[in-house]
Amino acid sequence: MKLFVTGFSPLDQFVEEEIAIKKRGFKDLVIQKIEAKHILNNPTYIQNDDVLICGATIYEEFIERKVRGHLIPFRVQTTDFLKALNQAVRLGNEINIINYKEMFFKYDLSDLEKSLNIKINQYYYSSVESVDSLLNELVEKKQNIVIGSGLIVSKAIKKGMNGFLWYGRESVKLAVDIAFNVLAGRFEEQSNWKRQEYILDHFNEGVISLNVTGRIIQINHKAIELLDLQKYRDLKGITVNELEELGFISEYSKQHIPLKGKLLDYKNKTLFLNSFPIYVKDIYDGSVIIISDTAEIQKHEKKIRRKLYDNSNRAIYEFDDIVGKSEIMQKVKHKAKKFAKTDANVLIIGESGTGKELFAQSIHNASLRSKEPFIAINCAAIPENLLESEFFGYSEGAFTGAIKGGKPGLFELAHKGTVFLDELGELPLSMQSKLLRILQEKVVRRIGSAASIPIDVRIIAATNVNLLEQVNQGGFRLDLYYRISVLNLILPSLNERKEDLYDLVLSYTARKYPDFMNVIGNCIIEITELLDEYQWGGNIRELENNLERLFAYLESPVNITKREVLNNLIETLEENNLFILNRFKGNESCDKDSYQNIIREVEINTIKGALQKTNGNKKDAAKLLGISRSTLWRKLNETEQ
């Protein structure tokens, strides 16, 4: 698509200025100045989508020669004509107006002549070639003032006459405005057509659009493929009943009613056909036929099911998702990236909420196993009586309620990939020995089966407890510990990397509440200073929980002041019993043991409150607290000591 402008030297500057203003919104638009004779000699040079601005005289010739494209002639505007007339009157009292093929004024000019005290002569010419002879006649008659188009004025000036162009800024502006409105419409039309064409060609189904007489308006590649119509070069414009292959479509399109789910045997295929009649203001305007291959539908259904299953067994986080520029975090990330290059088992040690699974997924995604499954197992969340069947699977008939055909275990599903064992310290001793066997022999055996299934998995484990201490207490196997902790990655607590609070707050806001970015950004320094005053027992998880509550209080980012944000943040932190920690921080005489006592006191009170709410039911209390029963038992034992 191009914009062409024929030459009219008296208006060059006006035209260029107006086009320069308008073309800013059309970055790729090609603008070309061209001589009218070149177009007349090559009428096909202008394409159907092109736009051409031209003088009124040449416009008539372009029409006669059937020049393509959208032709926009200059139209004389009253303001411009009066300006030309005013200039002409200053030089003499006899003025000659020359138009193309007809008189410019079609009514009596005596009143105008009388009011201006001038004489107006009107002439017209029938062809470009006759202009010179007409002007020569005027010269012989001693006439030297002419008003007309660019062609007339330029030739008159060459003959020594005074020529005044009846076009001006207003005429140019109108023509250019019309041209760019047409271009905008053409661009939008082309864009919509390209989008429609792209959608149709990337559609999984065949689509045929028919007009009221059954002629093909559009047909996509998929329809051509399904119906084996590749031998036909261009199907647009063909009536469906002209082709034997499309006879069945002709039958359905004539019915003018929706047709859904029609199965059709076609050339050793079973096609699934839907037909939708198009009505515009209750008048039938053609139909759209959608054709599918039933074999492909079944294939896609299987693929979708497999994708949905696979998505639950994959790692989504990478090292770039781990927020933190502090020196300690940079060292940990650097170390973890080195671990990713090996295939050795990794033990991630860190407090609850420090991002152990985030690091586990990042290590997996940076390893050679990245395209294989990532199976995460929370050792504390699976009931002990189900651990073995979940870990190793079972064969058909292994026990009452076993699924027909059996079920693969999580280790079997993770073959060639990574198994992430979260809260490893909660794994019962009975399962520890079975896990050790898997790591040593690299095989699993389903419950109820005698067959061993070879597996190749990498273990990444995580714990928030001291496993060596559990070994000393007899709660964890030393040989399993050595198998698991080939590489150790110790994650810092949030209290050890408080300089990351700034980035953590902004990252969480951008991810979860982007509408609040300006609000939080305006007071991020004060927020960070306030958060820095507290000790984060729950680490990043606790921080995000508090931010979640803060945004719930703020409700809307509209008209929120810095004071409101900070007041709500303080209220949020106090509700979380952090005011106790703040009081401890302000007491310089307190030592670390005192601080731990305060933490323990808050924890004990929380557990007691949960037990009261559940009437002493430990299972319900653990669920209410969001921890496992084994963790609750351990906390209660620590309280009694």
Side-chain angles (χ1 to χ4, degrees), residues 199-200 202-206 220 222 226 291-293 296 300:
I199 291 169
L200 288 179
H202 289 79
F203 210 47
N204 286 329
E205 283 77 30
N220 68 349
K222 190 65 178 179
L226 287 173
I291 306 166
S292 310
D293 187 348
E296 286 191 14
H300 285 308

Side-chain angles (χ1 to χ4, degrees), residues 372-407:
E372 303 300 334
F374 176 88
I375 305 283
I377 304 172
N378 189 323
C379 299
I382 303 174
E384 188 172 343
N385 61 329
L386 295 179
L387 275 171
E388 188 172 0
S389 63
E390 288 295 315
F391 272 38
F392 313 130
Y394 53 82
S395 60
E396 184 175 346
F399 50 81
T400 303
I403 296 173
K404 186 177 181 180
K407 177 185 174 185

Side-chain angles (χ1 to χ4, degrees), residues 504-505 508 531 543-552:
L504 287 167
V505 172
Y508 181 81
L531 296 176
L543 171 67
E544 291 184 345
N545 287 345
N546 279 280
L547 291 175
E548 187 73 30
R549 282 191 289 272
L550 170 64
F551 288 121

